[in-house]
Amino acid sequence: MHSRLLRLLLTGLVLLAAPLALPAGSAAAAPACTGNPELKPLRSLTVRTAKGDFRFLVEVADTDRERELGLMCRRSLAPDRGMLFDFVRERPDAAFWMRNTLIPLDIIYIRRDGVVRSIIRNARPLDETPRPAGGPILGVLELAGGRAAQIGLQPGDRIDFPIFRSRP
């Protein structure tokens, strides 16, 4: 009887202590997390795939600070929303990670001509592993995790947005 009672007490203590043992940066640390407010105005962007054209309303991160914070600390992202990172000049060696990002994301690397260079699908929340583009890019589109697969997005598909038409 005593050993059973002791086991129950120990189990209870482990369950009570479990939230205290979560690593910093985990979803439980989210209340202290601060990221970008929604960047306004939302702008229309079209993704052209073999399945058709898909329209998204995107926030445009075009300053160093906006790009640094990205979608950090957001708890959701609607299927028709996203964030476009505009680097203004082509970057030869861009890599993204998921620091303080609480939701899975698809990370789409885009060449200066608007063609998709590569896609990181369902990037894991809070994973700080750098995920490189694999070549020069001008922009990055982040969508809710799994959305790229739903619309059939593949490298070589096209993103229609003014920055890809107006820059050499």
Side-chain angles (χ1 to χ4, degrees), residues 39 43 60-64 66-67 84-88:
L39 302 176
R43 298 184 53 198
V60 178
D62 57 5
T63 69
D64 287 340
E66 290 169 348
R67 286 188 297 265
L84 179 70
F85 295 76
D86 175 359
F87 289 110
V88 182

Side-chain angles (χ1 to χ4, degrees), residues 148-163:
Q150 289 172 346
I151 65 173
L153 185 61
Q154 298 294 327
D157 287 343
R158 185 165 296 278
I159 306 297
D160 185 20
F161 194 77
I163 67 168

Side-chain angles (χ1 to χ4, degrees), residues 17 26 29 34 37 41 44 69 76 78 97 105 108 113 124 136 150-151:
S26 70
T34 54
S44 181
L69 294 176
S76 64
W97 58 12
L105 295 173
I108 298 112
D113 61 0
R124 284 190 341 246
Q150 289 172 346
I151 65 173

Side-chain angles (χ1 to χ4, degrees), residues 7-121:
R7 267 192 309 234
L8 285 172
L9 285 172
L10 287 174
T11 301
L13 287 174
V14 168
L15 290 174
L16 286 173
L20 302 175
L22 290 172
S26 70
C33 192
T34 54
N36 277 324
E38 185 174 68
L39 302 176
K40 301 278 186 165
L42 296 178
R43 298 184 53 198
S44 181
L45 173 145
T46 302
V47 177
R48 301 185 188 286
T49 76
K51 284 187 170 184
D53 292 354
F54 298 87
R55 185 174 160 263
F56 293 87
L57 291 175
V58 297
E59 300 173 50
V60 178
D62 57 5
T63 69
D64 287 340
R65 184 67 176 155
E66 290 169 348
R67 286 188 297 265
E68 179 184 335
L69 294 176
L71 290 171
M72 287 181 178
C73 307
R74 303 281 178 96
R75 296 188 179 279
S76 64
L77 184 62
D80 66 338
R81 296 287 179 95
M83 180 174 279
L84 179 70
F85 295 76
D86 175 359
F87 289 110
V88 182
R89 289 182 184 82
E90 190 174 64
R91 296 250 173 131
D93 57 357
F96 271 46
W97 58 12
M98 297 288 285
R99 174 178 288 164
N100 294 327
T101 306
L102 307 176
I103 56 175
L105 295 173
D106 290 340
I107 303 170
I108 298 112
Y109 293 106
I110 310 162
R111 299 181 337 203
R112 70 177 177 201
D113 61 0
V115 173
V116 173
R117 173 169 300 286
S118 60
I119 304 169
I120 306 300
R121 298 177 189 275

